[in-house]
Amino acid sequence: MSEPLIASADAIALRATVEAETTKKLAVALQQVAAGPVTPTIDPTSFQDELSGFDFHTPRSLSSVVDWVVGVMSRGNVQMTHPRYLGLFNPAPALAAEQADRITAALNPQLAVWSHAPVAAGIEHHVIEAFCERLGLGAASAGHFTSGGAEANLSAVLCALTRAFPDIGDHGLRALSAQPTVYVSADSHLAWIKIACMVGLGRNAVRLVATDGLGRMDAAALALALETDRRQGLAPFMIAATAGTTNAGMVDPLHACADLASALGLWLHVDAAWGGALIASPTLKRELAGIERADSVTIDAHKWLAATMGTGMYFVREGTILNRVFAVSTSYMPSNDAARDPYVTSVLWSRRMLGLRLFLPLAQVGWPGYAQHIERAVELAAVLRDDLGAHGWRTVNASAMAVLCVRPPDGSAAVRDTVARVVENGVAWCSVAHFEGQDVVRLCIANGASTRHDMRLVADALHRACASDS
Ligand SMILES: *Cc1c(COP(=O)(O)O)cnc(C)c1O
């Protein structure tokens, strides 16, 4: 006899047992993760053998399978919850965000149509409004949760195209007489390339504008590129400035970009996927000055805001553009509300409740709690910079965010080899990045549980690993 696939509402005892066991297993696993190596230790061959044992013919107890999964997951991945995972923004999630996933999963609301889930959609909307207000996007602004920054940026390109070429939704790009072009910095997140390909613009429509030597879009180079392209008969329609580059946490000149965009009638998007978290901090948010002039903004909650993976946000100054982009009508949907039905105002159709992952932690600790979370990470980055500085390392990016691009002392081993040694050793996870023409070690702090002691350990590990004969 196998266990039931769906636990009925009265299966309280079964639910309680399963959930209590999972909770306990996770608590133990998380402790083991924090005390162990950041990198996987599992033997791939034996893992593959065990996996092949799941032939999906013989039922097993859920408890035994959960046990196995938690065990292999806590030994077989690069560990995002590890306090010395100084990687690609992926956070240790807030406990409240984890609870959000649990509640959402149990009740499983469908948010395609507002009237189907007025409470779930209302909670998401409340969070989006709070961000719109903090961003200063104005009374007509709107937005929604996305699967991540890439989807949010895709939405931005679609909005920009629709405003610039109102017939495009009906006739497509092929009805245009000129090639539309979009402007991003050479240090932007290259989801732009995929997006250009997906929407049919083609990769060549993306102009990678030179940076200024400090990792920010060079405004003069942008102006020149725009002028040259216009003279050659191309149709620039969008500037996408980055506020917090992926590599180095640099902010493009937002006011200069906004000036150019408004002079030429272009859409200004600000990709603040990671750096947008600074709006939580009254002091650090000044680094994003100019963001309030954007036509649209991307902020990821699954980076510095400690939500679980798959939580991005897209904000737009003129909310009505969304239905112009995503409108469709069908007989099988219960309603077609152009102002607020998510399936006619965003990329997704069936929609999971994502916003609870931000609503719960915000309700719990508020903006002040998030400000503390952000400011603390920035302080830890300064500690790490000083610890490394004491070993003769140089920080080459001047970011207000919690990311360092560092170079070892002259005569050290190559950056690539140094990083490979640290990662292999498992004491920390960091990556190699390319910043203004040179290889750097990239160290990003996103985990609210990392400590000064962790920074000391990371600095020591890097310094040992950079000895050219180690
Ligand atoms: C991470 C990032 C993205 C991509 O976002 P995903 O959530 O990974 O889809 C886009 N832009 C910037 C600046 C980023 O840091």
Short mmCIF file of all heavy atoms in Angstrom, two decimals, residues 391-449:
data_model
loop_
_atom_site.label_atom_id
_atom_site.label_comp_id
_atom_site.label_asym_id
_atom_site.label_seq_id
_atom_site.Cartn_x
_atom_site.Cartn_y
_atom_site.Cartn_z
N HIS A 391 46.82 42.31 4.03
CA HIS A 391 47.68 41.32 3.35
C HIS A 391 48.24 41.86 2.04
O HIS A 391 48.81 41.11 1.25
CB HIS A 391 46.86 40.06 3.01
CG HIS A 391 46.49 39.21 4.20
ND1 HIS A 391 47.42 38.69 5.08
CD2 HIS A 391 45.28 38.76 4.62
CE1 HIS A 391 46.79 37.96 6.00
NE2 HIS A 391 45.50 37.99 5.75
N GLY A 392 48.00 43.13 1.75
CA GLY A 392 48.55 43.72 0.52
C GLY A 392 47.63 43.61 -0.70
O GLY A 392 48.05 43.88 -1.82
N TRP A 393 46.38 43.18 -0.47
CA TRP A 393 45.45 43.09 -1.61
C TRP A 393 44.85 44.47 -1.88
O TRP A 393 44.70 45.29 -0.98
CB TRP A 393 44.32 42.11 -1.30
CG TRP A 393 44.73 40.67 -1.35
CD1 TRP A 393 45.71 40.08 -0.61
CD2 TRP A 393 44.17 39.66 -2.18
NE1 TRP A 393 45.80 38.75 -0.93
CE2 TRP A 393 44.85 38.46 -1.89
CE3 TRP A 393 43.15 39.63 -3.12
CZ2 TRP A 393 44.57 37.26 -2.52
CZ3 TRP A 393 42.85 38.44 -3.76
CH2 TRP A 393 43.56 37.27 -3.46
N ARG A 394 44.48 44.69 -3.14
CA ARG A 394 43.91 45.98 -3.55
C ARG A 394 42.47 45.79 -4.01
O ARG A 394 42.16 44.89 -4.79
CB ARG A 394 44.71 46.52 -4.74
CG ARG A 394 45.43 47.80 -4.47
CD ARG A 394 46.32 48.26 -5.63
NE ARG A 394 46.55 47.28 -6.67
CZ ARG A 394 45.97 47.34 -7.88
NH1 ARG A 394 45.13 48.29 -8.19
NH2 ARG A 394 46.25 46.41 -8.78
N THR A 395 41.59 46.67 -3.54
CA THR A 395 40.20 46.67 -4.03
C THR A 395 40.12 47.66 -5.19
O THR A 395 40.52 48.82 -5.04
CB THR A 395 39.24 47.09 -2.90
OG1 THR A 395 39.34 46.11 -1.86
CG2 THR A 395 37.81 47.16 -3.39
N VAL A 396 39.65 47.19 -6.34
CA VAL A 396 39.69 48.06 -7.53
C VAL A 396 38.33 48.64 -7.91
O VAL A 396 38.26 49.51 -8.76
CB VAL A 396 40.29 47.31 -8.76
CG1 VAL A 396 41.74 46.93 -8.48
CG2 VAL A 396 39.47 46.07 -9.13
N ASN A 397 37.27 48.20 -7.28
CA ASN A 397 35.96 48.84 -7.56
C ASN A 397 35.60 49.74 -6.38
O ASN A 397 35.92 49.43 -5.23
CB ASN A 397 34.86 47.79 -7.79
CG ASN A 397 34.55 46.99 -6.53
OD1 ASN A 397 35.44 46.70 -5.74
ND2 ASN A 397 33.29 46.65 -6.35
N ALA A 398 34.93 50.85 -6.68
CA ALA A 398 34.55 51.78 -5.62
C ALA A 398 33.03 51.73 -5.50
O ALA A 398 32.35 52.68 -5.84
CB ALA A 398 35.03 53.18 -5.95
N SER A 399 32.52 50.62 -5.04
CA SER A 399 31.07 50.44 -4.97
C SER A 399 30.55 50.77 -3.58
O SER A 399 31.22 50.51 -2.59
CB SER A 399 30.70 49.00 -5.31
OG SER A 399 29.32 48.79 -5.10
N ALA A 400 29.33 51.32 -3.54
CA ALA A 400 28.67 51.55 -2.26
C ALA A 400 27.96 50.29 -1.79
O ALA A 400 27.37 50.27 -0.72
CB ALA A 400 27.66 52.68 -2.40
N MET A 401 28.00 49.26 -2.61
CA MET A 401 27.29 48.02 -2.28
C MET A 401 28.27 47.00 -1.69
O MET A 401 29.46 47.24 -1.64
CB MET A 401 26.61 47.49 -3.54
CG MET A 401 25.56 48.48 -4.02
SD MET A 401 24.99 48.15 -5.68
CE MET A 401 24.27 49.76 -6.08
N ALA A 402 27.69 45.86 -1.29
CA ALA A 402 28.51 44.88 -0.57
C ALA A 402 29.20 43.93 -1.54
O ALA A 402 29.02 42.72 -1.47
CB ALA A 402 27.65 44.12 0.42
N VAL A 403 29.98 44.49 -2.45
CA VAL A 403 30.72 43.65 -3.38
C VAL A 403 32.12 44.23 -3.55
O VAL A 403 32.29 45.44 -3.69
CB VAL A 403 30.00 43.50 -4.74
CG1 VAL A 403 29.94 44.81 -5.49
CG2 VAL A 403 30.64 42.41 -5.58
N LEU A 404 33.11 43.35 -3.51
CA LEU A 404 34.49 43.78 -3.71
C LEU A 404 35.05 43.08 -4.93
O LEU A 404 34.84 41.88 -5.13
CB LEU A 404 35.36 43.38 -2.51
CG LEU A 404 34.96 43.88 -1.13
CD1 LEU A 404 35.94 43.32 -0.08
CD2 LEU A 404 34.98 45.40 -1.09
N CYS A 405 35.78 43.84 -5.74
CA CYS A 405 36.60 43.26 -6.80
C CYS A 405 38.03 43.50 -6.37
O CYS A 405 38.45 44.65 -6.25
CB CYS A 405 36.32 43.94 -8.14
SG CYS A 405 34.67 43.63 -8.76
N VAL A 406 38.76 42.43 -6.08
CA VAL A 406 40.08 42.60 -5.48
C VAL A 406 41.17 41.94 -6.32
O VAL A 406 40.93 40.97 -7.04
CB VAL A 406 40.11 42.04 -4.03
CG1 VAL A 406 39.24 42.87 -3.11
CG2 VAL A 406 39.69 40.59 -3.99
N ARG A 407 42.38 42.50 -6.18
CA ARG A 407 43.57 41.99 -6.87
C ARG A 407 44.61 41.62 -5.81
O ARG A 407 44.83 42.38 -4.87
CB ARG A 407 44.18 43.06 -7.79
CG ARG A 407 43.26 43.52 -8.89
CD ARG A 407 43.48 42.80 -10.19
NE ARG A 407 44.89 42.65 -10.54
CZ ARG A 407 45.37 41.67 -11.30
NH1 ARG A 407 44.55 40.74 -11.77
NH2 ARG A 407 46.65 41.60 -11.57
N PRO A 408 45.25 40.48 -5.98
CA PRO A 408 46.30 40.10 -5.02
C PRO A 408 47.55 40.96 -5.21
O PRO A 408 47.69 41.64 -6.22
CB PRO A 408 46.58 38.65 -5.38
CG PRO A 408 46.16 38.50 -6.80
CD PRO A 408 45.05 39.49 -7.03
N PRO A 409 48.46 40.90 -4.24
CA PRO A 409 49.72 41.66 -4.37
C PRO A 409 50.49 41.21 -5.62
O PRO A 409 50.32 40.07 -6.08
CB PRO A 409 50.50 41.28 -3.12
CG PRO A 409 49.54 40.63 -2.19
CD PRO A 409 48.41 40.12 -3.00
N ASP A 410 51.32 42.10 -6.14
CA ASP A 410 52.14 41.76 -7.31
C ASP A 410 52.96 40.51 -7.02
O ASP A 410 53.42 40.31 -5.90
CB ASP A 410 53.10 42.92 -7.65
CG ASP A 410 52.31 44.12 -8.16
OD1 ASP A 410 51.14 43.93 -8.59
OD2 ASP A 410 52.87 45.24 -8.12
N GLY A 411 53.14 39.70 -8.06
CA GLY A 411 53.94 38.49 -7.89
C GLY A 411 53.15 37.30 -7.40
O GLY A 411 53.68 36.21 -7.22
N SER A 412 51.85 37.50 -7.16
CA SER A 412 51.02 36.38 -6.69
C SER A 412 50.66 35.46 -7.85
O SER A 412 50.88 35.81 -9.02
CB SER A 412 49.73 36.90 -6.07
OG SER A 412 49.99 37.74 -5.00
N ALA A 413 50.06 34.34 -7.51
CA ALA A 413 49.55 33.42 -8.53
C ALA A 413 48.43 34.13 -9.31
O ALA A 413 47.89 35.14 -8.86
CB ALA A 413 49.00 32.17 -7.86
N ALA A 414 48.09 33.57 -10.46
CA ALA A 414 47.02 34.14 -11.27
C ALA A 414 45.71 34.09 -10.48
O ALA A 414 45.47 33.17 -9.70
CB ALA A 414 46.87 33.36 -12.57
N VAL A 415 44.87 35.11 -10.69
CA VAL A 415 43.60 35.21 -9.98
C VAL A 415 42.76 33.94 -10.16
O VAL A 415 42.17 33.41 -9.22
CB VAL A 415 42.83 36.46 -10.48
CG1 VAL A 415 41.36 36.39 -10.13
CG2 VAL A 415 43.47 37.72 -9.90
N ARG A 416 42.74 33.44 -11.38
CA ARG A 416 41.95 32.24 -11.67
C ARG A 416 42.40 31.05 -10.81
O ARG A 416 41.58 30.31 -10.27
CB ARG A 416 42.14 31.85 -13.15
CG ARG A 416 40.91 32.00 -13.96
CD ARG A 416 41.16 32.16 -15.45
NE ARG A 416 40.47 33.37 -15.89
CZ ARG A 416 39.14 33.49 -15.93
NH1 ARG A 416 38.38 32.48 -15.60
NH2 ARG A 416 38.58 34.62 -16.31
N ASP A 417 43.71 30.88 -10.70
CA ASP A 417 44.23 29.75 -9.91
C ASP A 417 43.93 29.95 -8.43
O ASP A 417 43.60 29.00 -7.71
CB ASP A 417 45.75 29.62 -10.11
CG ASP A 417 46.08 29.30 -11.57
OD1 ASP A 417 45.20 28.71 -12.25
OD2 ASP A 417 47.18 29.66 -12.04
N THR A 418 44.06 31.18 -7.98
CA THR A 418 43.79 31.48 -6.57
C THR A 418 42.35 31.14 -6.22
O THR A 418 42.07 30.47 -5.22
CB THR A 418 44.07 32.98 -6.31
OG1 THR A 418 45.43 33.24 -6.65
CG2 THR A 418 43.82 33.35 -4.86
N VAL A 419 41.43 31.60 -7.06
CA VAL A 419 40.01 31.34 -6.80
C VAL A 419 39.73 29.84 -6.85
O VAL A 419 39.02 29.29 -5.99
CB VAL A 419 39.12 32.12 -7.81
CG1 VAL A 419 37.68 31.61 -7.77
CG2 VAL A 419 39.18 33.61 -7.50
N ALA A 420 40.33 29.16 -7.82
CA ALA A 420 40.10 27.72 -7.94
C ALA A 420 40.56 27.00 -6.67
O ALA A 420 39.89 26.08 -6.18
CB ALA A 420 40.84 27.17 -9.17
N ARG A 421 41.69 27.44 -6.11
CA ARG A 421 42.19 26.79 -4.89
C ARG A 421 41.25 27.01 -3.71
O ARG A 421 40.97 26.08 -2.94
CB ARG A 421 43.56 27.37 -4.50
CG ARG A 421 44.69 26.79 -5.31
CD ARG A 421 46.01 27.49 -4.97
NE ARG A 421 46.96 27.29 -6.05
CZ ARG A 421 47.91 28.16 -6.38
NH1 ARG A 421 48.03 29.30 -5.72
NH2 ARG A 421 48.74 27.90 -7.37
N VAL A 422 40.76 28.23 -3.56
CA VAL A 422 39.85 28.52 -2.44
C VAL A 422 38.57 27.70 -2.56
O VAL A 422 38.09 27.12 -1.60
CB VAL A 422 39.54 30.03 -2.39
CG1 VAL A 422 38.40 30.32 -1.42
CG2 VAL A 422 40.78 30.81 -2.00
N VAL A 423 38.03 27.67 -3.78
CA VAL A 423 36.77 26.96 -3.99
C VAL A 423 36.97 25.46 -3.77
O VAL A 423 36.13 24.80 -3.15
CB VAL A 423 36.23 27.26 -5.41
CG1 VAL A 423 35.07 26.34 -5.76
CG2 VAL A 423 35.79 28.72 -5.51
N GLU A 424 38.09 24.95 -4.23
CA GLU A 424 38.34 23.52 -4.08
C GLU A 424 38.48 23.14 -2.60
O GLU A 424 37.97 22.13 -2.15
CB GLU A 424 39.60 23.13 -4.84
CG GLU A 424 39.70 21.62 -4.96
CD GLU A 424 41.03 21.18 -5.56
OE1 GLU A 424 42.01 21.94 -5.48
OE2 GLU A 424 41.06 20.07 -6.09
N ASN A 425 39.13 24.02 -1.87
CA ASN A 425 39.33 23.80 -0.46
C ASN A 425 38.01 23.86 0.33
O ASN A 425 37.86 23.23 1.37
CB ASN A 425 40.34 24.86 0.02
CG ASN A 425 40.41 24.98 1.50
OD1 ASN A 425 39.51 25.51 2.13
ND2 ASN A 425 41.49 24.45 2.06
N GLY A 426 37.04 24.61 -0.18
CA GLY A 426 35.70 24.61 0.40
C GLY A 426 35.49 25.57 1.56
O GLY A 426 34.39 25.65 2.10
N VAL A 427 36.53 26.34 1.91
CA VAL A 427 36.37 27.24 3.05
C VAL A 427 35.49 28.43 2.69
O VAL A 427 34.84 29.02 3.55
CB VAL A 427 37.75 27.69 3.59
CG1 VAL A 427 38.48 28.58 2.60
CG2 VAL A 427 37.62 28.39 4.92
N ALA A 428 35.46 28.77 1.40
CA ALA A 428 34.63 29.89 0.95
C ALA A 428 34.31 29.68 -0.52
O ALA A 428 34.94 28.84 -1.18
CB ALA A 428 35.38 31.22 1.12
N TRP A 429 33.31 30.41 -1.00
CA TRP A 429 33.04 30.39 -2.43
C TRP A 429 33.11 31.82 -2.93
O TRP A 429 32.49 32.73 -2.38
CB TRP A 429 31.66 29.80 -2.76
CG TRP A 429 31.55 29.38 -4.20
CD1 TRP A 429 31.78 28.14 -4.70
CD2 TRP A 429 31.21 30.20 -5.33
NE1 TRP A 429 31.61 28.13 -6.07
CE2 TRP A 429 31.25 29.39 -6.48
CE3 TRP A 429 30.88 31.55 -5.49
CZ2 TRP A 429 30.98 29.86 -7.77
CZ3 TRP A 429 30.62 32.04 -6.76
CH2 TRP A 429 30.67 31.19 -7.89
N CYS A 430 33.92 32.03 -3.97
CA CYS A 430 33.99 33.35 -4.60
C CYS A 430 34.22 33.09 -6.08
O CYS A 430 34.32 31.94 -6.51
CB CYS A 430 35.11 34.18 -3.99
SG CYS A 430 36.70 33.37 -3.98
N SER A 431 34.28 34.15 -6.86
CA SER A 431 34.37 33.91 -8.30
C SER A 431 35.38 34.85 -8.95
O SER A 431 35.84 35.81 -8.33
CB SER A 431 33.00 34.08 -8.95
OG SER A 431 32.47 35.35 -8.62
N VAL A 432 35.71 34.53 -10.18
CA VAL A 432 36.58 35.40 -10.97
C VAL A 432 35.68 36.31 -11.79
O VAL A 432 34.71 35.85 -12.38
CB VAL A 432 37.44 34.58 -11.95
CG1 VAL A 432 38.35 35.50 -12.76
CG2 VAL A 432 38.25 33.54 -11.20
N ALA A 433 35.99 37.58 -11.81
CA ALA A 433 35.26 38.49 -12.68
C ALA A 433 36.27 39.29 -13.49
O ALA A 433 37.47 39.28 -13.18
CB ALA A 433 34.37 39.42 -11.86
N HIS A 434 35.77 39.94 -14.52
CA HIS A 434 36.63 40.78 -15.34
C HIS A 434 36.16 42.20 -15.11
O HIS A 434 35.00 42.52 -15.36
CB HIS A 434 36.46 40.36 -16.80
CG HIS A 434 37.66 40.66 -17.61
ND1 HIS A 434 38.88 40.06 -17.40
CD2 HIS A 434 37.83 41.53 -18.64
CE1 HIS A 434 39.76 40.54 -18.26
NE2 HIS A 434 39.14 41.42 -19.03
N PHE A 435 37.03 43.05 -14.57
CA PHE A 435 36.62 44.42 -14.28
C PHE A 435 37.60 45.39 -14.93
O PHE A 435 38.79 45.37 -14.64
CB PHE A 435 36.58 44.66 -12.76
CG PHE A 435 36.15 46.06 -12.38
CD1 PHE A 435 34.84 46.45 -12.54
CD2 PHE A 435 37.08 46.97 -11.89
CE1 PHE A 435 34.43 47.75 -12.20
CE2 PHE A 435 36.68 48.26 -11.55
CZ PHE A 435 35.36 48.65 -11.71
N GLU A 436 37.07 46.22 -15.83
CA GLU A 436 37.88 47.23 -16.52
C GLU A 436 39.21 46.64 -17.01
O GLU A 436 40.28 47.17 -16.74
CB GLU A 436 38.11 48.45 -15.62
CG GLU A 436 36.81 49.22 -15.31
CD GLU A 436 36.20 49.94 -16.53
OE1 GLU A 436 36.76 49.85 -17.63
OE2 GLU A 436 35.15 50.59 -16.35
N GLY A 437 39.10 45.51 -17.69
CA GLY A 437 40.26 44.98 -18.38
C GLY A 437 41.14 44.03 -17.59
O GLY A 437 42.15 43.55 -18.11
N GLN A 438 40.82 43.77 -16.34
CA GLN A 438 41.67 42.82 -15.61
C GLN A 438 40.85 41.80 -14.83
O GLN A 438 39.71 42.05 -14.45
CB GLN A 438 42.64 43.56 -14.68
CG GLN A 438 41.96 44.52 -13.73
CD GLN A 438 42.98 45.34 -12.92
OE1 GLN A 438 44.17 45.07 -12.96
NE2 GLN A 438 42.50 46.32 -12.19
N ASP A 439 41.47 40.64 -14.61
CA ASP A 439 40.82 39.63 -13.80
C ASP A 439 40.85 40.06 -12.33
O ASP A 439 41.88 40.54 -11.84
CB ASP A 439 41.58 38.29 -13.91
CG ASP A 439 41.16 37.52 -15.16
OD1 ASP A 439 40.17 37.94 -15.82
OD2 ASP A 439 41.81 36.51 -15.48
N VAL A 440 39.74 39.87 -11.67
CA VAL A 440 39.66 40.20 -10.24
C VAL A 440 38.96 39.05 -9.52
O VAL A 440 38.24 38.27 -10.12
CB VAL A 440 38.85 41.50 -10.00
CG1 VAL A 440 39.57 42.70 -10.57
CG2 VAL A 440 37.44 41.39 -10.58
N VAL A 441 39.19 38.98 -8.21
CA VAL A 441 38.39 38.09 -7.38
C VAL A 441 37.16 38.89 -6.96
O VAL A 441 37.28 40.00 -6.46
CB VAL A 441 39.16 37.64 -6.12
CG1 VAL A 441 38.30 36.66 -5.30
CG2 VAL A 441 40.49 37.01 -6.48
N ARG A 442 35.99 38.28 -7.19
CA ARG A 442 34.75 38.98 -6.85
C ARG A 442 34.18 38.36 -5.58
O ARG A 442 33.99 37.14 -5.49
CB ARG A 442 33.75 38.84 -7.99
CG ARG A 442 32.42 39.51 -7.75
CD ARG A 442 31.48 39.28 -8.92
NE ARG A 442 30.17 39.80 -8.66
CZ ARG A 442 29.29 39.25 -7.82
NH1 ARG A 442 29.59 38.15 -7.16
NH2 ARG A 442 28.10 39.80 -7.65
N LEU A 443 33.89 39.23 -4.61
CA LEU A 443 33.41 38.78 -3.30
C LEU A 443 32.16 39.56 -2.96
O LEU A 443 32.21 40.78 -2.83
CB LEU A 443 34.48 39.05 -2.23
CG LEU A 443 35.84 38.40 -2.48
CD1 LEU A 443 36.95 39.17 -1.78
CD2 LEU A 443 35.82 36.95 -2.02
N CYS A 444 31.05 38.88 -2.82
CA CYS A 444 29.79 39.58 -2.61
C CYS A 444 29.11 39.05 -1.36
O CYS A 444 28.97 37.84 -1.18
CB CYS A 444 28.90 39.37 -3.83
SG CYS A 444 27.26 40.04 -3.61
N ILE A 445 28.70 39.95 -0.49
CA ILE A 445 28.09 39.53 0.77
C ILE A 445 26.57 39.73 0.70
O ILE A 445 26.10 40.84 0.52
CB ILE A 445 28.69 40.31 1.95
CG1 ILE A 445 30.16 39.93 2.07
CG2 ILE A 445 27.95 40.00 3.24
CD1 ILE A 445 31.06 41.06 2.36
N ALA A 446 25.84 38.64 0.81
CA ALA A 446 24.38 38.73 0.75
C ALA A 446 23.72 37.97 1.89
O ALA A 446 22.52 37.98 2.03
CB ALA A 446 23.87 38.18 -0.59
N ASN A 447 24.54 37.31 2.69
CA ASN A 447 24.00 36.45 3.75
C ASN A 447 23.98 37.21 5.08
O ASN A 447 25.04 37.62 5.59
CB ASN A 447 24.89 35.20 3.86
CG ASN A 447 24.34 34.18 4.85
OD1 ASN A 447 23.59 34.52 5.76
ND2 ASN A 447 24.73 32.93 4.66
N GLY A 448 22.79 37.37 5.62
CA GLY A 448 22.64 38.12 6.86
C GLY A 448 23.26 37.44 8.07
O GLY A 448 23.34 38.03 9.14
N ALA A 449 23.72 36.20 7.90
CA ALA A 449 24.31 35.49 9.04
C ALA A 449 25.84 35.45 8.96
O ALA A 449 26.49 34.90 9.85
CB ALA A 449 23.75 34.08 9.12
#
